[in-house]
Amino acid sequence: MTQNPQDAELKTERSRLRRSHERGSYDRDTLYSVLDAMPLAHIGYQLDGRPSVLPTLQWREGDHLYWHGSSASRAIRAMEGADVCITVTLIDGYVLARSAFHHSVNFRSAMVFGRAEKIVDPAAKEARLKAMTDGLFPGRWETLRPITEQEIKATAVLRIPIEEASAKIRDGAPKDDEEDYALPIWAGVVPMSLQLQHPEADPANLSGVNMPDHLSRIRIG
C-alpha cells in the first residue's frame, strides 16, 4: 500500500517506532486526537545532568504544545531552551489473553520531542493561560477574578513546536498463539475510561452562589 506523504510528516529517526511499528502513526490528526483527549502529560528533561520527569497539564494550540509552572521552579528553568520529551497516555482497557505472555492493554499514546521555548511577553502569556483555562473549563475565564500582574509574573509558560512526534495505539481483542485458540480459557477485553463525577461545592462558598452553567460543558480533554 502506498503511504500518503503526510502520514509520515512527524516521523524522524528519534520519533519512529522500533517495535510494534504497525501501531505507530505520524500524521497530525491521529497525534492531535490523543493530545487533545488527555490533559495530563509527563515531561522528560535533564536536571543537573540527570534524567527527571515532571507530571503536569498540557494543552495544544495549533501546531504547538504548551505547559506552565512556577517561574521559580527548578524544572521550568532547566527546560527553557533545552530538548524535552512530552508523553501523553490513555488506557482504554485490559486485554486478557489465553496466556500470561499475551496479556496487554488497549491504549492511546503520544510522544513529542522538541526544544522548549519560554513565553516572555506578558500579554501573550495571559492569552495562553486563558486558552488553557477555557480549554479545560469552557467559559470559566470570564467569570473569574481578573488575573493580576504579579500572578502572570509568577507563572512561566513554555511551548514546543509539534514537528517531531509519534502516536501509538493498541485496540481490539487479544492476539494469542494460533494453537491457544483451542484452549477452554476465557479471553477478552475489560474496557475502562475516565469519568467526571458530579461537582462538589466548596464549603467556603458564599450563601446563594449557585453552580455555574458552564460546568455542564466540562469534558476530559
Side-chain angles (χ1 to χ4, degrees), residues 118-154:
K118 187 176 180 179
I119 306 300
V120 177
D121 178 67
K125 190 191 298 186
E126 181 177 353
R128 303 288 71 76
L129 295 173
K130 179 180 186 300
M132 178 194 71
T133 303
D134 279 339
L136 291 170
F137 319 113
R140 188 158 180 81
W141 182 270
E142 297 300 333
T143 72
L144 303 175
R145 169 185 59 75
I147 192 168
T148 67
E149 181 178 339
Q150 181 56 38
E151 288 171 337
I152 294 175
K153 184 178 180 180

Side-chain angles (χ1 to χ4, degrees), residues 94-109:
Y94 288 134
V95 179
L96 284 68
R98 293 163 182 83
S99 69
F101 183 79
H102 288 299
H103 276 57
S104 186
V105 292
N106 283 339
F107 67 91
R108 290 165 286 157
S109 67

Side-chain angles (χ1 to χ4, degrees), residues 154-177:
T155 305
V157 177
L158 281 74
R159 72 175 187 174
I160 58 173
I162 304 175
E163 298 174 344
E164 186 177 7
S166 62
K168 189 175 182 181
I169 297 173
R170 198 262 187 228
D171 58 12
K175 294 178 174 61
D176 275 299
D177 294 335

